[in-house]
Amino acid sequence: MANVLIATEKPFAEKAISQITAVLEQNEFSYQFLEKYTSKEELLEAVKEVDALIVRSDKVDEEVLKTAENLKIVVRAGAGYDNVDVDAASKNNVVVMNTPGQNSNAVAELAVGLALYGLRNMFSGTSGGELRRRTIGLHGYGYVARNVHRIVRGFGMHPAVFTRYSRTQAVSEGLQVTDSLEELYAMSDVVSIHVPARDEHIKSVSFDVLKHLRQNAIIVNTARKEVINEDDLINFMRFRPDVKYLADIAPDRIAEFEKHFKGRFFFTPKKMGAQTIEANINAGVAAAEQIVKFLQNGDKTYQVNK
Ligand code: 3PG
């Protein structure tokens, strides 16, 4: 009987947990949970005997992979797998998967909510602006950005996108696709960032890109802080007091934002994009099903360390 560990420092909703366990029980898998843990030692202890691991943003590094001697598969219940050392997993013959698309509507709704909150001056009682007729620039066009696109059309926004990998898809959906990131930022009242924390996307939001932003622009980041060049963002916000930054994760130099940019930034206290009951169910159940299919039939769909 295969043994699955669900290790979530930030737990899934109860409804998601009952559906995840139902999938595992139907397939006669045993399971255990490690939730709200506060030290790596707890994770190291818990992974020792398991065949499969479900995580969220939990760090799965080389030490965790080596300690988990029976481990065959790690599924990141979510999109970004920058928390998993995929090279170490490959070296240890562990398959790594994510669950693409499963939590993307939740993240997209948060992105639009942050844009609205920023445009309304953080509900501070001062006159703000409306989404309607403003241009939203989608930086990247994966599952989350596609949901943002669907939602903002309802608000009457003008969407545009810069994408290297999903150009055909974006064009087929009637989107204006720019030839460069600079061009996208130059035409946007709101920029919404939707690229993963890897390769050319790391620090891709630099001063040289930001300097093109329109007056009173709003930057929304529901992706990762690593895609922003934080020094450049701070310099840019000092030079352009009209610009706001709202993100689903606090930057490293939060004290500087508090000191210099009062009323111009907002950070969720904990990553909240995928923290809805629906997204927890979608991503958690998909993770459990992917583990079952892999361990029973060798199905490697969604493997990211090929
Ligand atoms: C993702 O990459 O899927 C999101 O950032 C969600 O992360 P979380 O599972 O830690 O909420």
Side-chain angles (χ1 to χ4, degrees):
M1 188 194 270
N3 186 9
V4 183
L5 173 69
I6 299 109
T8 48
E9 180 273 318
K10 185 173 59 184
F12 287 122
E14 271 178 36
K15 276 192 179 166
I17 290 173
S18 60
Q19 295 193 34
I20 293 165
T21 53
V23 170
L24 298 173
E25 281 165 20
Q26 275 156 23
N27 290 282
E28 297 182 352
F29 280 42
S30 64
Y31 55 82
Q32 68 222 53
F33 283 86
L34 176 69
E35 292 180 322
K36 295 187 187 169
Y37 58 96
T38 51
S39 71
K40 186 177 175 185
E41 283 62 43
E42 290 172 80
L43 179 60
L44 291 173
E45 188 55 39
V47 294
K48 276 185 183 155
E49 311 273 296
V50 303
D51 301 290
L53 177 60
I54 296 176
V55 291
R56 296 184 64 179
S57 292
D58 308 77
K59 248 197 160 17
V60 182
D61 63 12
E62 184 150 26
E63 191 182 5
V64 173
L65 290 158
K66 280 205 168 122
T67 307
E69 285 180 6
N70 296 337
L71 192 66
K72 293 151 194 79
I73 177 167
V74 178
V75 182
R76 192 281 190 243
Y81 50 89
D82 43 307
N83 51 318
V84 181
D85 186 336
V86 285
D87 293 334
S90 302
K91 265 195 259 158
N92 288 281
N93 292 320
V94 174
V95 166
V96 181
M97 295 186 186
N98 64 352
T99 64
Q102 299 291 351
N103 60 19
S104 52
N105 180 65
V107 182
E109 288 189 11
L110 182 74
V112 177
L114 290 175
L116 200 145
Y117 187 55
L119 269 172
R120 291 298 183 99
N121 297 332
M122 327 300 189
F123 303 154
S124 61
T126 57
S127 298
E130 299 181 20
L131 294 174
R132 187 166 59 154
R133 301 205 178 95
R134 281 192 161 76
T135 297
I136 182 163
L138 303 170
H139 179 169
Y141 203 55
Y143 290 98
V144 177
R146 291 171 203 187
N147 276 287
V148 172
H149 177 205
R150 172 180 52 76
I151 296 165
V152 299
R153 284 212 181 266
F155 277 99
M157 294 192 87
H158 300 302
V161 65
F162 175 68
T163 170
R164 292 182 180 85
Y165 307 105
S166 303
R167 207 182 164 93
T168 313
Q169 170 89 20
V171 170
S172 76
E173 291 175 11
L175 264 167
Q176 179 177 355
V177 184
T178 66
D179 290 327
S180 69
L181 206 47
E182 288 79 0
E183 196 189 326
L184 182 82
Y185 277 56
M187 67 188 290
S188 299
D189 300 298
V190 176
V191 166
S192 194
I193 303 168
H194 301 292
V195 287
R198 55 177 186 267
D199 308 329
E200 76 275 16
H201 303 301
I202 302 282
K203 294 189 190 239
S204 60
V205 183
S206 63
F207 194 96
D208 281 345
V209 171
L210 290 166
K211 73 181 183 196
H212 296 278
L213 276 173
R214 277 182 173 176
Q215 206 59 26
N216 299 317
I218 288 180
I219 307 156
V220 173
N221 184 9
T222 52
R224 294 286 187 272
K225 66 179 180 199
E226 289 79 4
V227 303
I228 301 254
N229 181 324
E230 201 172 302
D231 292 346
D232 282 10
L233 175 66
I234 289 170
N235 288 339
F236 176 70
M237 286 181 72
R238 292 190 82 156
F239 156 76
R240 281 281 304 273
D242 55 295
V243 167
K244 295 193 188 82
Y245 179 66
L246 297 95
D248 188 22
I249 189 80
D252 294 328
R253 290 162 60 188
I254 190 159
E256 289 194 48
F257 282 81
E258 280 161 357
K259 188 167 167 201
H260 300 295
F261 307 136
K262 199 165 179 298
R264 297 171 52 206
F265 69 91
F266 173 78
F267 309 124
T268 51
K270 204 167 197 147
K271 189 148 58 104
M272 285 300 297
Q275 198 60 329
T276 65
I277 294 169
E278 294 88 340
N280 285 180
I281 292 172
N282 294 343
V285 169
E289 286 173 344
Q290 287 171 212
I291 285 172
V292 169
K293 285 183 187 155
F294 171 69
L295 290 177
Q296 288 183 346
N297 309 320
D299 184 339
K300 292 186 183 172
T301 314
Y302 306 118
Q303 182 179 2
V304 295
N305 61 335
K306 284 176 200 165

Coordinates of all heavy atoms in Angstrom, one line a residue, residues 79-132:
A79 N 0.9 25.9 -9.3 CA 1.5 26.1 -10.6 C 3.0 26.2 -10.4 O 3.8 25.5 -11.1 CB 1.0 27.4 -11.2
G80 N 3.5 27.2 -9.6 CA 4.9 27.5 -9.5 C 5.7 26.5 -8.7 O 5.4 26.3 -7.5
Y81 N 6.7 25.8 -9.3 CA 7.4 24.8 -8.6 C 8.8 25.2 -8.2 O 9.7 24.4 -8.1 CB 7.3 23.4 -9.4 CG 7.7 23.6 -10.8 CD1 9.1 23.4 -11.2 CD2 6.8 23.8 -11.8 CE1 9.4 23.5 -12.5 CE2 7.2 23.9 -13.1 CZ 8.5 23.8 -13.5 OH 8.8 23.9 -14.8
D82 N 9.0 26.5 -8.1 CA 10.3 27.1 -7.7 C 10.7 26.6 -6.3 O 11.9 26.8 -5.9 CB 10.3 28.6 -7.9 CG 9.0 29.2 -7.4 OD1 7.9 28.8 -7.8 OD2 9.1 30.1 -6.5
N83 N 9.8 26.1 -5.5 CA 10.1 25.6 -4.2 C 10.6 24.2 -4.2 O 11.0 23.7 -3.1 CB 8.8 25.7 -3.3 CG 7.6 25.0 -4.0 OD1 7.4 25.1 -5.2 ND2 6.9 24.2 -3.2
V84 N 10.6 23.6 -5.3 CA 11.1 22.2 -5.4 C 12.5 22.2 -6.1 O 12.6 22.7 -7.2 CB 10.1 21.3 -6.1 CG1 10.6 19.8 -6.1 CG2 8.8 21.3 -5.4
D85 N 13.5 21.5 -5.6 CA 14.8 21.4 -6.2 C 14.6 20.3 -7.3 O 14.8 19.1 -7.0 CB 15.9 21.1 -5.2 CG 17.2 21.1 -5.9 OD1 17.3 20.9 -7.1 OD2 18.2 21.3 -5.2
V86 N 14.3 20.7 -8.5 CA 14.0 19.7 -9.5 C 15.2 18.9 -10.0 O 15.1 17.7 -10.3 CB 13.2 20.3 -10.8 CG1 11.8 20.6 -10.5 CG2 13.9 21.5 -11.3
D87 N 16.4 19.6 -9.9 CA 17.6 18.9 -10.4 C 17.9 17.8 -9.3 O 18.2 16.6 -9.7 CB 18.8 19.8 -10.5 CG 18.5 20.8 -11.6 OD1 17.8 20.4 -12.6 OD2 19.1 21.9 -11.6
A88 N 17.8 18.1 -8.1 CA 18.1 17.1 -7.0 C 17.0 16.0 -7.1 O 17.4 14.8 -6.9 CB 18.0 17.8 -5.6
A89 N 15.8 16.4 -7.4 CA 14.8 15.3 -7.6 C 15.1 14.4 -8.7 O 15.1 13.1 -8.5 CB 13.4 16.0 -7.9
S90 N 15.6 14.9 -9.8 CA 16.0 14.1 -11.0 C 17.1 13.2 -10.6 O 17.1 12.0 -10.9 CB 16.4 14.9 -12.2 OG 15.3 15.8 -12.5
K91 N 18.1 13.7 -9.9 CA 19.3 12.9 -9.4 C 18.8 11.8 -8.5 O 19.4 10.7 -8.5 CB 20.2 13.8 -8.6 CG 21.4 14.4 -9.5 CD 22.5 14.9 -8.6 CE 22.4 16.4 -8.5 NZ 23.0 17.0 -7.4
N92 N 17.8 12.0 -7.7 CA 17.3 11.0 -6.8 C 16.1 10.1 -7.4 O 15.4 9.5 -6.7 CB 16.9 11.6 -5.5 CG 18.0 12.1 -4.7 OD1 18.7 11.3 -4.0 ND2 18.4 13.4 -4.8
N93 N 16.0 10.2 -8.7 CA 14.9 9.5 -9.4 C 13.5 9.8 -8.9 O 12.7 8.8 -8.8 CB 15.2 8.0 -9.4 CG 16.4 7.6 -10.2 OD1 16.5 8.2 -11.3 ND2 17.2 6.8 -9.7
V94 N 13.3 11.0 -8.5 CA 11.9 11.4 -8.1 C 11.3 12.2 -9.2 O 11.8 13.2 -9.7 CB 12.0 12.2 -6.8 CG1 10.7 12.7 -6.3 CG2 12.7 11.4 -5.6
V95 N 10.0 11.8 -9.5 CA 9.3 12.6 -10.5 C 8.6 13.8 -9.8 O 8.1 13.7 -8.7 CB 8.2 11.7 -11.1 CG1 7.1 12.5 -11.9 CG2 8.8 10.6 -12.0
V96 N 8.7 15.0 -10.4 CA 8.1 16.2 -9.9 C 7.0 16.6 -10.9 O 7.2 16.7 -12.1 CB 9.1 17.3 -9.8 CG1 8.4 18.6 -9.2 CG2 10.3 16.9 -8.9
M97 N 5.8 16.9 -10.3 CA 4.7 17.4 -11.1 C 4.1 18.6 -10.5 O 4.3 18.8 -9.3 CB 3.6 16.4 -11.2 CG 3.9 15.1 -11.9 SD 2.4 14.1 -12.1 CE 3.1 12.6 -12.8
N98 N 3.5 19.5 -11.3 CA 2.6 20.5 -10.7 C 1.2 20.2 -11.2 O 0.9 19.2 -11.8 CB 3.1 21.9 -11.1 CG 3.0 22.1 -12.6 OD1 2.8 21.2 -13.4 ND2 3.3 23.4 -13.0
T99 N 0.2 21.1 -10.9 CA -1.1 20.9 -11.3 C -1.6 22.1 -12.1 O -2.4 22.9 -11.5 CB -2.1 20.6 -10.1 OG1 -2.1 21.8 -9.2 CG2 -1.6 19.5 -9.2
P100 N -1.1 22.3 -13.3 CA -1.3 23.5 -14.0 C -2.8 23.9 -14.2 O -3.6 23.0 -14.5 CB -0.6 23.3 -15.3 CG -0.4 21.8 -15.4 CD -0.3 21.3 -14.0
G101 N -3.1 25.1 -14.0 CA -4.4 25.6 -14.2 C -5.4 25.5 -13.1 O -6.5 26.1 -13.1
Q102 N -5.1 24.6 -12.1 CA -6.1 24.3 -11.1 C -6.4 25.4 -10.2 O -7.5 25.4 -9.6 CB -5.7 23.0 -10.4 CG -5.5 21.8 -11.2 CD -6.8 21.2 -11.8 OE1 -7.9 21.7 -11.4 NE2 -6.7 20.3 -12.7
N103 N -5.5 26.3 -9.9 CA -5.8 27.4 -9.0 C -5.8 28.7 -9.7 O -5.8 29.8 -9.0 CB -4.9 27.4 -7.8 CG -3.4 27.5 -8.2 OD1 -3.1 28.0 -9.3 ND2 -2.5 27.1 -7.3
S104 N -5.8 28.7 -11.0 CA -5.5 30.0 -11.7 C -6.7 31.0 -11.6 O -6.4 32.2 -11.6 CB -5.2 29.7 -13.2 OG -6.2 28.9 -13.7
N105 N -7.9 30.5 -11.6 CA -9.0 31.5 -11.5 C -8.9 32.2 -10.1 O -9.1 33.5 -10.1 CB -10.4 30.8 -11.6 CG -11.5 31.9 -11.5 OD1 -11.6 32.8 -12.3 ND2 -12.2 31.8 -10.4
A106 N -8.5 31.5 -9.1 CA -8.4 32.2 -7.8 C -7.4 33.3 -7.8 O -7.6 34.4 -7.3 CB -8.1 31.1 -6.7
V107 N -6.2 33.0 -8.4 CA -5.1 34.0 -8.5 C -5.6 35.1 -9.3 O -5.3 36.3 -9.0 CB -3.8 33.3 -9.0 CG1 -2.7 34.3 -9.0 CG2 -3.4 32.1 -8.1
A108 N -6.2 34.8 -10.4 CA -6.7 35.9 -11.3 C -7.7 36.8 -10.6 O -7.6 38.1 -10.8 CB -7.3 35.3 -12.6
E109 N -8.6 36.3 -9.9 CA -9.6 37.1 -9.2 C -8.9 38.0 -8.2 O -9.2 39.2 -8.0 CB -10.6 36.2 -8.5 CG -11.6 35.6 -9.4 CD -12.8 34.9 -8.7 OE1 -13.0 35.1 -7.5 OE2 -13.5 34.2 -9.4
L110 N -7.8 37.5 -7.5 CA -7.1 38.3 -6.6 C -6.4 39.4 -7.3 O -6.3 40.6 -6.9 CB -6.0 37.5 -5.8 CG -5.3 38.3 -4.8 CD1 -6.1 38.7 -3.6 CD2 -4.0 37.7 -4.3
A111 N -5.8 39.1 -8.5 CA -5.1 40.1 -9.3 C -6.0 41.3 -9.6 O -5.7 42.5 -9.5 CB -4.5 39.5 -10.5
V112 N -7.2 41.0 -10.1 CA -8.2 42.0 -10.5 C -8.6 42.8 -9.2 O -8.7 44.0 -9.2 CB -9.4 41.4 -11.2 CG1 -10.4 42.5 -11.5 CG2 -8.9 40.7 -12.5
G113 N -8.8 42.1 -8.1 CA -9.2 42.7 -6.8 C -8.1 43.7 -6.4 O -8.4 44.8 -5.9
L114 N -6.8 43.3 -6.5 CA -5.7 44.2 -6.2 C -5.7 45.5 -7.1 O -5.5 46.6 -6.6 CB -4.4 43.5 -6.2 CG -4.1 42.4 -5.1 CD1 -2.8 41.7 -5.4 CD2 -4.1 43.0 -3.7
A115 N -6.0 45.2 -8.4 CA -6.0 46.4 -9.3 C -7.1 47.4 -8.9 O -6.9 48.6 -8.8 CB -6.2 45.9 -10.7
L116 N -8.2 46.8 -8.6 CA -9.4 47.6 -8.2 C -9.0 48.4 -6.9 O -9.3 49.6 -6.7 CB -10.6 46.7 -8.0 CG -11.9 47.3 -8.1 CD1 -12.9 46.3 -8.7 CD2 -12.4 47.6 -6.7
Y117 N -8.4 47.7 -5.9 CA -8.1 48.3 -4.6 C -7.1 49.4 -4.8 O -7.2 50.5 -4.2 CB -7.5 47.1 -3.8 CG -7.2 47.5 -2.3 CD1 -8.2 48.0 -1.5 CD2 -6.0 47.2 -1.8 CE1 -8.0 48.3 -0.2 CE2 -5.7 47.5 -0.5 CZ -6.7 48.1 0.3 OH -6.4 48.4 1.7
G118 N -6.1 49.2 -5.7 CA -5.1 50.2 -6.0 C -5.7 51.4 -6.6 O -5.5 52.6 -6.3
L119 N -6.6 51.2 -7.6 CA -7.2 52.3 -8.3 C -8.1 53.1 -7.4 O -8.3 54.3 -7.7 CB -8.0 51.7 -9.5 CG -7.3 51.6 -10.8 CD1 -8.1 50.9 -11.9 CD2 -6.9 53.0 -11.4
R120 N -8.7 52.5 -6.4 CA -9.5 53.2 -5.4 C -8.7 53.7 -4.3 O -9.3 53.9 -3.2 CB -10.6 52.2 -5.0 CG -11.7 51.9 -6.0 CD -12.4 53.1 -6.5 NE -13.4 52.8 -7.5 CZ -14.7 52.7 -7.1 NH1 -15.1 52.9 -5.9 NH2 -15.6 52.4 -8.1
N121 N -7.4 53.9 -4.5 CA -6.6 54.4 -3.4 C -6.7 53.7 -2.1 O -6.8 54.3 -1.0 CB -6.8 55.9 -3.2 CG -6.5 56.7 -4.5 OD1 -5.7 56.3 -5.2 ND2 -7.2 57.8 -4.7
M122 N -6.7 52.4 -2.2 CA -6.8 51.5 -1.0 C -8.0 51.8 -0.1 O -8.0 51.7 1.1 CB -5.5 51.6 -0.1 CG -4.2 51.8 -0.8 SD -3.9 50.5 -2.0 CE -2.2 50.9 -2.5
F123 N -9.1 52.2 -0.8 CA -10.4 52.5 0.0 C -10.1 53.5 1.1 O -10.6 53.4 2.2 CB -11.1 51.3 0.5 CG -11.4 50.2 -0.5 CD1 -11.4 48.9 -0.2 CD2 -11.6 50.5 -1.8 CE1 -11.7 47.9 -1.1 CE2 -11.9 49.6 -2.8 CZ -11.9 48.2 -2.4
S124 N -9.4 54.5 0.8 CA -8.9 55.5 1.8 C -9.9 56.7 1.9 O -9.6 57.6 2.8 CB -7.5 56.0 1.4 OG -7.6 56.7 0.1
G125 N -10.9 56.7 1.1 CA -11.8 57.9 1.2 C -11.5 59.0 0.2 O -12.3 59.9 0.1
T126 N -10.4 58.8 -0.5 CA -10.1 59.8 -1.6 C -10.7 59.3 -2.9 O -11.0 58.1 -3.0 CB -8.6 60.0 -1.7 OG1 -8.0 58.7 -1.9 CG2 -8.0 60.5 -0.4
S127 N -10.8 60.2 -3.9 CA -11.3 59.8 -5.2 C -10.3 59.0 -5.9 O -9.2 59.4 -6.1 CB -11.7 61.1 -6.0 OG -12.6 61.8 -5.3
G128 N -10.8 57.8 -6.4 CA -9.9 56.9 -7.1 C -10.3 56.9 -8.6 O -10.9 57.9 -9.1
G129 N -10.0 55.8 -9.3 CA -10.3 55.7 -10.7 C -11.1 54.3 -10.9 O -11.2 53.5 -10.0
E130 N -11.5 54.1 -12.1 CA -12.2 52.9 -12.5 C -11.4 52.0 -13.4 O -10.6 52.5 -14.2 CB -13.6 53.3 -13.2 CG -14.4 54.1 -12.2 CD -15.8 54.5 -12.8 OE1 -16.2 53.9 -13.8 OE2 -16.3 55.5 -12.3
L131 N -11.8 50.8 -13.4 CA -11.1 49.8 -14.3 C -11.6 50.1 -15.8 O -10.8 50.0 -16.7 CB -11.4 48.4 -13.9 CG -10.9 47.9 -12.6 CD1 -11.4 46.5 -12.3 CD2 -9.4 47.9 -12.5
R132 N -12.8 50.4 -15.9 CA -13.4 50.6 -17.3 C -12.6 51.6 -18.1 O -12.3 52.6 -17.6 CB -14.9 51.0 -17.2 CG -15.6 51.0 -18.5 CD -17.0 51.1 -18.4 NE -17.4 52.3 -17.7 CZ -18.6 52.9 -17.9 NH1 -19.5 52.4 -18.7 NH2 -18.9 54.0 -17.2

